[in-house]
Amino acid sequence: MARTADSDLAPHELRIVVAVADTGGFSAAAGALGLTQSAVSHSVRGSERKIGAVLFERGRTGARPTPAGEKAVAYARRVLRLLDVLTAEARGAARPGPAEGPLRIVAFRSAALHLLPPVLQRLRARHPGIEPRVRIVREVGRGTAGEVADGKADVGITTLGGSVPLPPGLVAGGLLEEPYALVHAAGHADPRSLPLVDWAENCGSYTRDWWAAQDWIPVAAVEAEDDGAVLSLVSGGHGMAIMPALSLAGAPDSVEITELGPGRPTRRVGYVTTSELAGSAVVRALVRELRHRGTTDVPKALGPDDGRS
């Protein structure tokens, strides 16, 4: 059956659906949007009728998206972002010049600390009208790519090549290959005999086979919150760790970094964005700077031959 204009969701309906998901309830969404609860409820019911699916499970504790609702919310965020981009792109076409507008970036911790700063510095110098907003997201589960797919970010710095495929509708590009190394307190005679300190984001699918083949690696004796905590514990003599190069950038003199040999595992770091945002001026400007990193952007732990675009 052909769709009619009455079956299309208007931008204000999309905003209400997103607000309910973000706030966890109809009352909270109404407060955030300056509407009445009845207006929010009426709008959501209308959206559900148009879509032909229940978007939220209602309960005493609030409203939670159903599987259909999760899809609808993700696309609603992306459509609303495209409406913003539409205005900026049209203005840019009418008045050519540096890119302008907000740019939402998500990255895992070590990339945010050691890869992005020089890139953003050059981006702002060449495009002062771009407003980067960076969030750090743990690279577990759907990680940064999931944030982009859900419409919560425009670009994600992510790990590529793992067993978990990218969500549909995303495009990706490689930036660098970072090797793993053994890190331990400086001066220890037999670092492989030390207990293992690890964190949840480490040893993803890209290193699992190598990790499993190493009979000298014990089960982790200490599970830390992130790679920064791991490095601090190793520095304090509490064990050894196997870490990727970005996590070892700026490592203190109290630790020693030992190469793992020619068969060492590596992690491929890249970026992801949506297919519809890939051609926008702000995303293209960021990708250009990411791809044209100077050698000074590559942390020393990567080595001169390991960081490659």
Side-chain angles (χ1 to χ4, degrees):
M1 190 171 77
R3 292 181 60 85
T4 66
D6 290 341
S7 65
D8 293 334
L9 269 65
H12 75 272
E13 293 175 303
L14 299 178
R15 291 188 181 92
I16 288 174
V17 167
V18 171
V20 172
D22 287 346
T23 62
F26 288 75
S27 296
L33 295 172
L35 301 172
T36 64
Q37 181 178 344
S38 61
V40 170
S41 298
H42 178 76
S43 178
V44 171
R45 285 196 300 271
S47 297
E48 291 176 326
R49 185 169 57 254
K50 291 178 180 181
I51 293 173
V54 176
L55 302 182
F56 295 97
E57 294 179 356
R58 284 81 159 169
R60 292 181 179 179
T61 58
R64 186 165 58 91
T66 62
E70 290 177 352
K71 286 284 187 182
V73 169
Y75 279 105
R77 288 194 187 102
R78 288 165 66 168
V79 169
L80 290 171
R81 178 65 176 127
L82 276 181
L83 291 176
D84 293 336
V85 170
L86 181 155
T87 302
E89 291 290 302
R91 287 175 178 168
R95 299 188 300 272
E100 296 181 350
L103 177 61
R104 305 171 303 163
I105 305 167
V106 289
F108 53 89
R109 181 182 177 276
S110 58
L113 290 179
H114 305 298
L115 181 62
L116 278 179
V119 169
L120 294 181
Q121 184 177 21
R122 284 197 308 275
L123 181 72
R124 282 176 162 165
R126 296 175 183 176
H127 303 272
I130 290 183
E131 306 160 21
R133 303 169 187 172
V134 180
R135 284 191 300 118
I136 294 177
V137 175
R138 298 186 75 194
E139 192 70 330
V140 293
R142 297 174 74 233
T144 56
E147 295 288 298
V148 175
D150 290 345
K152 296 178 180 178
D154 303 325
V155 180
I157 307 302
T158 191
T159 301
L160 300 175
S163 61
V164 179
L166 288 178
L170 298 189
V171 294
L175 295 173
L176 59 88
E177 199 95 13
E178 54 170 342
Y180 278 71
L182 173 65
V183 57
H184 52 90
H188 197 281
D190 186 13
R192 294 192 177 201
S193 67
L194 294 169
L196 177 68
V197 183
D198 207 6
W199 77 106
E201 291 175 82
N202 202 25
C203 189
S205 56
Y206 37 85
T207 62
R208 194 170 292 125
D209 291 343
W210 177 89
W211 197 287
Q214 311 304 309
D215 56 9
W216 60 273
I217 303 179
V219 175
V222 180
E223 288 279 354
E225 178 65 22
D226 56 41
D227 53 350
V230 168
L231 202 53
S232 178
L233 288 165
V234 169
S235 176
H238 299 284
M240 58 90 173
I242 298 167
M243 306 179 74
L246 281 174
S247 295
L248 295 174
D253 294 337
S254 53
V255 303
E256 187 173 331
I257 299 170
T258 303
E259 290 189 6
L260 291 170
R264 65 188 179 184
T266 61
R267 177 169 72 169
R268 189 177 180 221
V269 177
Y271 68 88
V272 292
T273 186
T274 62
S275 55
E276 61 266 19
L277 285 178
S280 66
V282 290
V283 170
R284 283 190 292 111
L286 175 64
V287 169
R288 192 177 301 115
E289 296 304 332
L290 285 168
R291 284 177 168 168
H292 292 84
R293 304 180 320 278
T295 56
T296 55
D297 292 356
V298 181
K300 290 181 180 178
L302 286 172
D305 299 320
D306 292 309
R308 49 185 189 263
S309 299

